[in-house]
Amino acid sequence: MKKTLLAAAVFAAAQPLLSVAADLEEITVTASRLDLPKSQLGVSVSILNAADIERLGYTSLLDVMRTLPGVAVSNSGGAGKVSSLFIRGESNFRTLVLLDGVNIADPTGLQVSTQLQHLQASDIERIEVLRGPQGMLYGAGAGGVINIISKRSTESVNASASVEAGRYGSQSANANLGGSIESWYYDLNVSDYSTDGFNATENDTSGEEDGYDNLTASARLGYQVNENLSLEGQYRKVDTETEYDNCFSDFPNDCLSRFDQEFYIFSSNYQFANWNHRVSLSQQEIDREEGLSPGAFPFITSGEIREANYIGSHTLSSGKLLWGGEYEQQKYATQFAGVTSGDEVLESTGLFTEWHSDFAEKVFYTLGYRRDSLEVENHNSWRVSAALPVSLGEDHQLKYRANFGTGYRAPSPYEYTTNASLGAETSRGYELGLEYQWAQLLQAELTYFDQEINDAIFYNYITWSFEQDNGESQSEGVELSLGGNLNGSLDWSITGTWLNSEDFTGAQRGGVPQRVFNFGLSQQWLGDKLTLSGNWQRVEDRIDGYTRIALENYSKVDLNAVYRVSPNMRVNLRGENVLDRNYREVAGYYTAGAAVYAGIEFSL
């Protein structure tokens, strides 16, 4: 893999570096918590916008993110069932997931992670995935940061409604209303998804279906006080019910779990001249009930995450200075067999600063440092990155980039209660990358990365507690991303990930495929009335995380057709796993067979 990157780097370096390419894919991102052109970023970031999500057609946000480089997903039994997302081999309990700036991790879990299987794609405007350790800016672990941004209306009135139905008794309905009135703006969204599902587990010979219901609602209200100050409040609620197998009850294959999540966030943004200040307060509450079945003892948990964030920035003639601070409190309580535990609480604070500048407007670099105070210990993180955008002639642009960063993951409240001596996991990693753009015909990105984790926390089934290893876990690999547009009507994309991911014993990490490939096409016909899209995915070399069984390699094809009947109405027909491949992502759990869905959408 190193030779592959070296060969590409030598080829690129042999080209004449004529001038600075300031326009290399001018997309602003939040990789540095500042709106910066992508050409100036030295870190790996993947971006999917609303048009990309619409072309893919998936209802689940997890299925959307499967198509990104460096990302893999495993699902145990269909919609709403326990799922894991891996970025560069790191599971989602080492990855921070933000939804409109709110940390939506579930503090009631054994290892705090986000219940990604409950995220719907209906009201999502943009997804940004920062790969690798991001501890300096976000206090996140080795996986990275997934930043999800919901839709915000930019028109005076914007309304839409859609319905869809298909195999497994699946039905979905969505309604959106947004707009602005003088200095006010607002957005309302309701999404209702339900499915009868299919038999989730192989050891259930009854064939009983395991269904899923998801009701998600959100509201946003903002006010522009004056040209310098804006205020915004947001509320989001998710209620789900999931049927599953293998709980401890009189009817072990007739189990039910409930998951209720809601969060509030209030933020203010003040900008004056070259100064910018943002303050936000958020609170998330989660209630879970597991094992709801006749003869069972339900396991009930509740948790909260409270956060206060401040980010400031100042633009100088020589660069931009960023600084900020965060306070976070996580707590949870449990109830089992009539016994209720008290609240377990963990608190942390973090302070950070980063300097953005350049050398002669040719090399753009960042230097950052962060100090976190945890209950168990203090931790320092830092990041250094550099980007060199150059021009190879008209419409041909290239960027060299490099990044080195560190991160950490504090013990979850549950981990800490089983072993009070646990300390934080630490991570560090570096990456080297090339990005190339030839007008709209070709955008290419090649990245080599190497990262490691020390003091990884794992569960010891002998002592029935969490412990820390004495070794080093490592992920090394290459990510490839190609894409472009031909004749203004054909979009194409290719992503590939080659990974060598090992735990502290030197064994391949469970659940993590070592190779994942995607090939996507989207063609417009009849002007822009008909859009036909498809995505082929290939997953290879995965070992089950629990049984250590090698799972079979598989390929899957999904198709999506959208026809715009009028400016205000469109119909869609999509197929998932259209070749009806029989595959497993987790040993002992089925996946969905070929399925067809049809829907219609109206908008104003």
Side-chain angles (χ1 to χ4, degrees):
M1 290 183 288
K2 293 180 179 179
K3 292 180 180 179
T4 301
L5 184 73
L6 180 61
V10 171
F11 171 79
Q15 308 302 312
L17 307 184
L18 300 180
S19 62
V20 174
D23 296 324
L24 179 63
E25 198 176 356
E26 287 281 334
I27 299 176
T28 59
V29 296
T30 54
S32 291
R33 291 195 170 188
L34 291 172
D35 288 338
L36 293 174
K38 195 169 185 288
S39 61
Q40 299 179 14
L41 295 176
V43 298
S44 291
V45 56
S46 299
I47 300 171
L48 287 174
N49 57 34
D52 299 322
I53 297 172
E54 180 180 307
R55 280 196 297 266
L56 290 167
Y58 299 119
T59 58
S60 169
L61 213 57
L62 264 182
D63 290 331
V64 173
M65 291 188 285
R66 287 175 185 265
T67 64
L68 294 173
V71 176
V73 175
S74 66
N75 168 263
S76 55
K81 306 306 185 289
V82 176
S83 301
S84 295
L85 180 142
F86 305 92
I87 300 180
R88 293 181 174 176
E90 303 298 343
S91 187
N92 47 306
F93 64 82
R94 293 195 178 104
T95 297
L96 176 66
V97 180
L98 300 173
L99 177 53
D100 290 332
V102 178
N103 177 5
I104 57 172
D106 179 6
T108 69
L110 300 184
Q111 295 177 297
V112 173
S113 61
T114 301
Q115 304 283 352
L116 291 166
Q117 65 270 21
H118 301 312
L119 292 178
Q120 303 296 298
S122 59
D123 69 332
I124 302 306
E125 176 68 29
R126 188 178 177 91
I127 304 171
E128 301 177 358
V129 178
L130 282 65
R131 306 188 295 276
Q134 301 294 334
M136 197 290 297
L137 277 180
Y138 291 96
V145 175
I146 300 174
N147 189 15
I148 304 169
I149 302 168
S150 65
K151 292 179 179 178
R152 173 180 166 180
S153 299
T154 58
E155 304 173 2
S156 57
V157 177
N158 182 37
S160 65
S162 65
V163 294
E164 184 183 75
R167 193 184 177 187
Y168 303 118
S170 300
Q171 299 178 348
S172 65
N174 302 286
N176 299 275
L177 175 64
S180 60
I181 304 174
E182 295 181 347
S183 298
W184 295 88
Y185 62 87
Y186 63 93
D187 289 282
L188 302 170
N189 174 264
V190 177
S191 173
D192 188 11
Y193 173 83
S194 65
T195 179
D196 295 336
F198 50 86
N199 184 24
T201 58
E202 296 176 353
N203 63 10
D204 179 9
T205 58
S206 69
E208 176 255 352
E209 297 173 338
D210 297 301
Y212 175 66
D213 294 290
N214 181 309
L215 178 62
T216 299
S218 64
R220 182 204 325 261
L221 180 63
Y223 180 62
Q224 188 73 37
V225 180
N226 53 47
E227 63 179 7
N228 304 118
L229 177 64
S230 63
L231 305 174
E232 182 176 291
Q234 189 173 352
Y235 171 77
R236 191 177 190 93
K237 184 172 178 60
V238 180
D239 288 339
T240 74
E241 288 190 354
T242 306
E243 297 175 353
Y244 66 104
D245 299 329
N246 297 332
C247 63
F248 298 98
S249 72
D250 296 337
F251 300 91
N253 292 321
D254 186 17
C255 315
L256 179 69
S257 70
R258 295 192 178 98
F259 174 83
D260 298 331
Q261 178 185 39
E262 62 180 345
F263 72 68
Y264 316 80
I265 180 172
F266 175 79
S267 62
S268 64
N269 194 81
Y270 180 76
Q271 184 172 2
F272 179 75
N274 294 326
W275 297 85
N276 191 83
H277 304 277
R278 176 180 169 83
V279 177
S280 64
L281 300 172
S282 65
Q283 177 171 317
Q284 177 191 213
E285 299 177 356
I286 288 180
D287 294 301
R288 291 173 54 194
E289 298 176 90
E290 303 283 348
L292 300 176
S293 177
F297 290 102
F299 182 68
I300 302 173
T301 61
S302 61
E304 290 184 2
I305 296 181
R306 297 180 178 180
E307 289 189 321
N309 292 272
Y310 164 72
I311 301 173
S313 63
H314 182 50
T315 301
L316 303 169
S317 59
S318 55
K320 293 183 178 180
L321 179 64
L322 175 79
W323 66 92
E326 300 171 348
Y327 167 79
E328 181 182 87
Q329 179 191 83
Q330 294 186 10
K331 68 177 181 179
Y332 85 104
T334 63
Q335 180 180 331
F336 180 69
V339 178
T340 301
S341 73
D343 289 338
E344 302 292 343
V345 181
L346 285 180
E347 296 180 337
S348 63
T349 57
L351 299 172
F352 59 88
T353 185
E354 188 169 48
W355 172 246
H356 298 254
S357 190
D358 61 81
F359 296 112
E361 296 185 349
K362 292 185 178 181
V363 178
F364 298 88
Y365 68 90
T366 64
L367 301 171
Y369 171 79
R370 180 185 179 105
R371 174 74 169 179
D372 284 281
S373 299
L374 314 175
E375 291 198 1
V376 291
E377 61 185 20
N378 296 327
H379 183 74
N380 301 319
S381 304
W382 55 277
R383 183 175 76 175
V384 178
S385 68
L388 171 60
V390 297
S391 174
L392 305 178
E394 185 177 0
D395 295 330
H396 292 266
Q397 299 168 339
L398 178 71
K399 184 177 77 171
Y400 302 83
R401 57 178 173 80
N403 175 59
F404 192 104
T406 65
Y408 77 97
R409 184 181 76 87
S412 71
Y414 188 87
E415 288 173 329
Y416 189 65
T417 57
T418 69
N419 185 349
S421 65
L422 290 177
E425 298 179 341
T426 59
S427 59
R428 65 176 181 270
Y430 73 90
E431 62 184 26
L432 303 172
L434 292 172
E435 296 180 27
Y436 172 76
Q437 181 173 339
W438 176 19
Q440 297 300 314
L441 297 175
L442 174 64
Q443 294 87 41
E445 181 177 347
L446 180 67
T447 304
Y448 168 76
F449 63 89
D450 191 333
Q451 58 193 43
E452 59 189 41
I453 298 175
N454 291 291
D455 304 320
I457 300 173
F458 68 98
Y459 189 75
N460 188 323
Y461 288 92
I462 298 176
T463 63
W464 287 20
S465 65
F466 285 94
E467 298 180 3
Q468 286 185 287
D469 67 60
N470 295 319
E472 180 180 277
S473 305
Q474 187 175 29
S475 291
E476 177 189 27
V478 169
E479 298 161 341
L480 174 68
S481 178
L482 302 171
N485 179 275
L486 300 176
N487 301 321
S489 61
L490 175 63
D491 291 294
W492 63 278
S493 64
I494 298 173
T495 63
T497 304
W498 293 263
L499 181 66
N500 180 26
S501 180
E502 300 178 347
D503 63 20
F504 66 95
T505 68
Q508 180 178 326
R509 290 190 188 179
V512 183
Q514 304 299 282
R515 293 178 297 279
V516 179
F517 310 97
N518 284 276
F519 174 53
L521 286 174
S522 181
Q523 173 73 56
Q524 289 185 337
W525 302 83
L526 305 175
D528 62 350
K529 286 188 174 183
L530 176 63
T531 303
L532 301 178
S533 305
N535 189 76
W536 170 83
Q537 184 173 79
R538 175 73 175 174
V539 177
E540 298 179 349
D541 194 8
R542 189 197 315 247
I543 294 177
D544 182 68
Y546 181 72
T547 65
R548 305 298 296 176
I549 295 174
L551 302 178
E552 292 185 5
N553 302 336
Y554 70 88
S555 299
K556 184 168 73 79
V557 177
D558 302 322
L559 301 175
N560 186 40
V562 179
Y563 181 73
R564 192 171 296 278
V565 180
S566 70
N568 304 110
M569 184 178 74
R570 67 175 192 171
V571 295
N572 72 282
L573 181 68
R574 64 184 182 91
E576 295 186 0
N577 191 14
V578 295
L579 301 180
D580 201 23
R581 297 303 188 195
N582 185 16
Y583 66 97
R584 303 289 182 272
E585 294 183 332
V586 179
Y589 291 88
Y590 292 114
T591 54
V596 176
Y597 306 89
I600 186 170
E601 179 180 344
F602 299 92
S603 62
L604 295 179

